[in-house]
């Protein structure tokens, strides 16, 4: 039986597995598998109709042994507390894997933002911050964008928090626009960090030379971003990409049409109607005969049902939690290299950290400086995870969790928590 698709239960399983390999006892594992705080808020918004609608929001503060809580805010109709708990846990491990001085947190609001007007969306964003203002701040908990939230939403949120405080507090949130204390390189950081790791992995695992065929699930911030980066690099050829409704495929590559495809998605809101491509489903995309598969959408896409049919040599998990634990076992058996989410997509939080550092010192760096710091952090982390993988004979995922958990537990021990 496939594990019930509960991302928090899935995360707990992996933490238990990695922590027991490290020899940690039940008390430590208990600490690692419970968030420190989970907050639920009601956010009233006066809609354009004149009626007040009340939205439910969450903020989970998972662990702050290594620094303030850090993690994005998701606006999605399927948001629920267990999902936010999983996402907050993943942030804890992610920050620890790349060695940045943060704990983990995450937020979410149950809403379909596509059904809101711009004014309603702004009201909701500001309301979320008013409800959570006592619990966040540059030294406490620093939110950022996630699914369906973007720099504009971050600007409203930073502005609302600053109004409450009575002065500008740029360090309360990251992923802001450049005009209001954002960092160069932040928008593309998750995708670029993923590409740095992928390039190093291709070299490390001696993958075939020549152009590598890529399929990307998701064409949002992250999937669209890496599509653009690949289109400028002859080492990669993107043959398929999708959104929530459908995908497109061209074995000769979509790279030369990247602008057209991204514009089509922006204007029409979908990928349907693009000429001279084959329309495929998300299920078909995942099973294509490609070298590299990049899930960049949502959780639980690679499951026990389809894992055996995956043909890619490397899966670069830019989405959080795209693979279930059962699927992981099948992929491992089939020698598919999975570069796990907590490493593969850590570029976003890494440049968020660099944004926060710039905010705190009120001194802003050039793009070259940011990207070279990002590159070093991502590659060093991959090399370290691979070292642990080889040393313990485990998968990349378990290796990444072992590294992260070791760092979090060392901090908890030093503080006298365990
Ligand atoms: P986004 O909202 O910009 O894009 C999400 C994409 O996924 C869209 O193209 C959407 O159409 C697609 N999608 C949604 N449901 C789908 C489904 N059922 N099947 C296939 N596609 C579907 O979000 P994003 O910021 O690009 O985030 C994507 C993933 O990356 C999430 O898992 C997120 O947690 C993770 N992530 C994002 C960042 C970041 O900096 N934005 C950082 C780390 C991890």
């Amino acid at each position: 039986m496939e594990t019930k698709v509960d991302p928090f239960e899935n995360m707990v399983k992996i933490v238990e597995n990695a922590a027991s390999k490290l020899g940690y006892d039940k008390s430590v594992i208990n600490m690692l598998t419970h968030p420190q705080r989970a907050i639920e808020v009601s956010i009233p918004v006066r809609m354009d109709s004149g009626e007040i609608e009340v939205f439910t929001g969450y903020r989970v503060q998972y662990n702050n042994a290594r620094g303030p809580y850090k993690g994005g805010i998701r606006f999605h109709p399927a948001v629920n507390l267990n999902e936010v708990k999983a996402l907050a846990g993943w942030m804890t491990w992610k920050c620890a894997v790349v060695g940045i001085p943060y704990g983990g947190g995450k937020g979410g609001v149950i809403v379909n933002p596509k059904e809101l007007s711009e004014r309603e969306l702004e009201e909701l964003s500001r309301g979320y911050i008013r409800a959570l203002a006592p619990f966040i701040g540059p030294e406490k908990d620093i939110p950022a964008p996630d699914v369906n939230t973007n720099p504009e939403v971050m600007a409203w949120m930073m502005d609302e928090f600053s109004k409450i405080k009575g002065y500008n507090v740029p360090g309360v949130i990251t992923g802001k626009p450049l005009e209001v204390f954002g960092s160069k390189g932040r928008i593309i950081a998750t995708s670029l960090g993923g590409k740095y790791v992928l390039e190093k992995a291709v070299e490390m695992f001696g993958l075939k030379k020549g152009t590598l065929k890529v399929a990307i699930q998701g064409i949002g911030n992250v999937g669209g971003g890496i599509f653009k980066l690949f289109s400028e690099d002859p080492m990669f050829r993107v043959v398929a990409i999708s959104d929530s409704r459908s995908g497109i495929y061209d074995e000769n590559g979509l790279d030369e049409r990247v602008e057209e495809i991204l514009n089509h998605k922006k204007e029409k809101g979908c990928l349907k109607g693009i000429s001279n491509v084959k329309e495929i489903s998300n299920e078909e995309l995942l099973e294509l005969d490609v070298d590299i598969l990049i899930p960049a959408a949502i959780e639980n896409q690679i499951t026990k049902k389809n894992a055996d049919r995956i043909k890619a040599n490397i899966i670069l998990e830019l989405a959080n939690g795209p693979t279930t634990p059962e699927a992981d076992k099948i992929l491992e058996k089939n020698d598919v290299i999975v570069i796990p989410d907590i490493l593969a997509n850590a570029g976003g939080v890494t440049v968020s950290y660099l944004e926060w550092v710039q905010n705190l010192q009120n001194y802003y760096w050039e793009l070259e400086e940011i990207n070279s710091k990002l590159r070093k952090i991502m590659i060093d982390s991959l090399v370290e995870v691979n070292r642990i993988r080889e040393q313990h004979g485990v998968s990349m995922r378990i290796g990444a969790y072992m590294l992260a958990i070791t760092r979090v537990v060392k901090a908890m021990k030093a503080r006298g928590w365990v």
Side-chain angles (χ1 to χ4, degrees), residues 171-399:
V172 65
I173 209 155
T174 58
K176 303 178 292 293
L178 276 178
E179 298 75 27
V180 276
F181 320 114
S183 173
K184 288 184 176 154
R186 175 59 184 90
I187 289 177
I188 198 75
T190 307
S191 315
L192 184 59
K195 184 163 182 274
Y196 286 149
V197 163
L198 178 63
E199 285 163 348
K200 184 71 186 173
V202 166
E203 179 198 313
M204 242 164 49
F205 295 109
L207 217 69
K208 73 162 205 222
K209 295 274 176 301
T211 308
L212 296 165
K213 278 199 279 179
V214 186
I216 306 171
Q217 186 194 38
I219 189 170
N221 295 326
V222 176
I226 202 156
F227 181 23
K228 242 188 198 162
L229 293 172
F230 284 147
S231 72
E232 292 155 6
D233 187 339
M235 184 172 158
F236 300 97
R237 186 198 300 152
V238 177
V239 294
I241 192 157
S242 66
D243 69 4
S244 55
R245 286 191 244 174
S246 63
I248 53 173
Y249 174 75
D250 181 349
E251 65 172 337
N252 297 316
L254 299 164
D255 306 74
E256 281 172 16
R257 301 179 67 186
V258 62
E259 289 304 330
E260 175 199 342
I261 294 165
L262 290 172
N263 284 337
H264 182 99
K265 167 72 187 165
K266 210 169 169 186
E267 281 161 23
K268 305 264 183 340
C270 68
L271 290 170
K272 287 184 191 289
I274 294 174
S275 60
N276 298 323
V277 290
K278 186 177 168 206
E279 189 177 322
I280 55 171
S281 67
N282 267 295
E283 291 73 32
E284 288 171 310
L285 180 139
L286 296 171
E287 296 169 17
L288 285 173
D289 188 5
V290 289
D291 302 294
I292 292 154
L293 173 64
I294 305 187
I298 51 165
E299 296 96 58
N300 299 320
Q301 296 302 296
I302 303 174
T303 66
K304 192 178 163 188
K305 282 191 198 139
N306 60 6
D308 235 346
R309 293 196 296 273
I310 295 222
K311 299 182 191 70
N313 299 106
I314 294 188
I315 298 178
L316 179 75
E317 293 186 337
L318 289 188
N320 284 308
T323 310
T324 64
E326 280 77 8
D328 248 344
K329 284 186 200 140
I330 298 169
L331 295 171
E332 208 178 336
K333 177 180 72 84
N334 293 349
D335 290 328
V336 179
I337 299 160
V338 179
I339 307 178
D341 47 8
I342 60 169
L343 171 64
N345 70 34
V349 72
T350 300
V351 176
S352 271
Y353 164 60
L354 300 176
E355 178 178 336
W356 177 77
V357 171
Q358 293 171 83
N359 292 154
L360 295 188
Q361 63 186 0
N362 210 0
Y363 177 70
Y364 290 81
W365 299 323
E366 289 306 320
L367 184 60
E368 292 69 32
E369 183 155 5
I370 287 156
N371 285 349
S372 81
K373 286 182 161 71
L374 171 66
R375 187 165 189 280
K376 180 168 175 6
I377 290 174
M378 297 303 295
I379 290 179
D380 287 355
S381 308
L382 174 71
V383 169
E384 188 56 13
V385 167
N386 193 47
R387 192 187 62 72
I388 296 173
R389 179 186 75 86
E390 286 177 344
Q391 188 188 337
H392 293 269
V394 293
S395 66
M396 290 289 277
R397 186 181 319 280
I398 297 300

